[in-house]
Amino acid sequence: MYCFHIIFSRCLLICCLAGMLAPAAAAGEWGTLTGQFIYTGQAPQPEKLDISRDEAICGKFSDLIVEQSLLTGKNGGLQNVFIYLRESSLEDSQIHPEYLKLPETVTIQNKGCIFQPHVAGLWVNRQKLLAENKDLCAHGFQVKAYRNTSLNQVLPPGEKMTHQFEYGEKLPLRMSCSIHPWQEGWLVALNHPYFDTSDETGRFKIENLPVGAWEFQLWQEKAGYLAARPEWKRGRIKLKIRPGENDLGVIKVSPSVFADK
């Protein structure tokens, strides 16, 4: 009986230790991808756009109503570059549990007679699009889709609408306003949460990616497919994500990428 208790105790200890080690092993199955896009040319000055409708209201926001297709920060950081995983059929086990805490809606506002934010992303079937008009004039909210039903709805002042996408899209979708022709924005709708857009410093970060060999897509409003490096044909990057940090470093983007675009 005494021997039995010793064997049982040792087995119990081994099981407990295995349970303690399991989270650490699971944590090693995820990696984070980072990098920074730097525009190597002279920083372009955003051009003011023609305010041709509702001038009494929209004219108050003339400093905001500028060309946003090529925005850079103080140190040349290239803003609003989409980077996202091209895989559309990830298994549930390949989605990190932290992503289940994402908000249920992604909000796009008509505010200051522009779209705010100018670019955004959402996880199809997990997140809904919420469009709302914060201005004192009506706006038309349009989204030109490829696989999903396109949107075209007028939003009076203070009104909002929600929309659930059914399918992931391979490319960002153009948002526009049927009333104010200068309004433009971009929305990426994917079947997974592994995407990001570069901030005003050009930096991006996609956390908790499943380790393994993956292909990523780069897309930027003015360039389209962003082939920042010669080997990145059509803006596609093949990477092996390893546990922990995976840093692409500084990604220099030449003005030639945007020539004739």
Side-chain angles (χ1 to χ4, degrees):
M1 181 64 71
Y2 176 75
C3 293
F4 172 81
H5 282 296
I6 292 176
I7 294 172
F8 178 81
S9 298
R10 287 180 178 175
C11 290
L12 183 61
L13 178 60
I14 291 171
C15 290
C16 290
L17 288 174
M20 292 172 63
L21 291 173
E29 298 175 359
W30 310 98
T32 295
L33 180 63
T34 57
Q36 182 181 24
F37 296 101
I38 296 295
Y39 182 70
T40 60
Q42 183 176 357
Q45 293 298 317
E47 178 185 352
K48 287 193 174 184
L49 300 178
D50 181 31
I51 302 173
S52 54
R53 296 288 301 273
D54 293 315
E55 294 180 51
I57 296 172
C58 297
K60 298 176 182 179
F61 308 107
S62 59
D63 290 343
L64 297 176
I65 302 173
V66 297
E67 176 63 51
Q68 299 185 63
S69 63
L70 181 56
L71 295 178
T72 60
K74 292 181 180 179
N75 298 316
L78 182 59
Q79 191 172 347
N80 294 338
V81 176
F82 282 110
I83 177 168
Y84 53 94
L85 194 65
R86 281 179 54 82
E87 180 60 50
S88 61
S89 57
L90 289 168
E91 298 177 2
D92 289 345
S93 61
Q94 293 174 303
I95 304 295
H96 194 279
E98 281 296 311
Y99 282 106
L100 300 179
K101 301 177 184 179
L102 287 174
E104 294 181 358
T105 57
V106 171
T107 301
I108 302 291
Q109 293 183 335
N110 282 296
K111 185 177 180 181
C113 294
I114 60 173
F115 290 117
Q116 297 194 38
H118 182 67
V119 298
L122 62 78
W123 180 8
V124 172
N125 294 327
R126 286 282 184 173
Q127 294 179 301
K128 291 182 179 180
L129 174 65
L130 171 62
E132 57 181 348
N133 184 358
K134 306 293 284 188
D135 288 328
L136 296 177
C137 58
H139 285 291
F141 187 77
Q142 296 178 318
V143 178
K144 179 177 173 55
Y146 302 99
R147 299 188 65 209
N148 293 276
T149 302
S150 295
L151 303 178
N152 186 4
Q153 184 166 334
V154 174
L155 295 177
E159 291 295 311
K160 63 181 65 175
M161 62 164 283
T162 58
H163 178 73
Q164 179 75 66
F165 288 93
E166 294 184 64
Y167 312 104
E169 298 275 0
K170 291 185 177 181
L171 289 173
L173 308 177
R174 182 177 181 267
M175 301 185 295
S176 61
C177 174
S178 57
I179 300 173
H180 306 101
W182 64 82
Q183 276 196 244
E184 188 174 44
W186 297 89
L187 176 73
V188 64
L190 300 170
N191 286 324
H192 59 76
Y194 294 118
F195 56 84
D196 197 16
T197 56
S198 58
D199 62 17
E200 64 277 2
T201 70
R203 290 184 172 86
F204 68 87
K205 185 177 187 179
I206 306 178
E207 296 184 290
N208 295 317
L209 284 156
V211 298
W214 300 102
E215 187 174 47
F216 294 84
Q217 181 71 61
L218 296 180
W219 194 94
Q220 195 272 346
E221 177 178 348
K222 188 174 180 65
Y225 295 122
L226 186 65
R229 294 176 179 170
E231 64 271 24
W232 294 351
K233 303 297 184 183
R234 293 176 63 82
R236 297 178 185 180
I237 312 173
K238 292 184 178 180
L239 296 172
K240 186 174 183 179
I241 298 298
R242 294 177 171 83
E245 296 296 323
N246 298 260
D247 187 16
L248 291 177
V250 171
I251 304 164
K252 295 182 179 180
V253 183
S254 168
S256 63
V257 172
F258 305 96
D260 301 323
K261 296 292 181 70

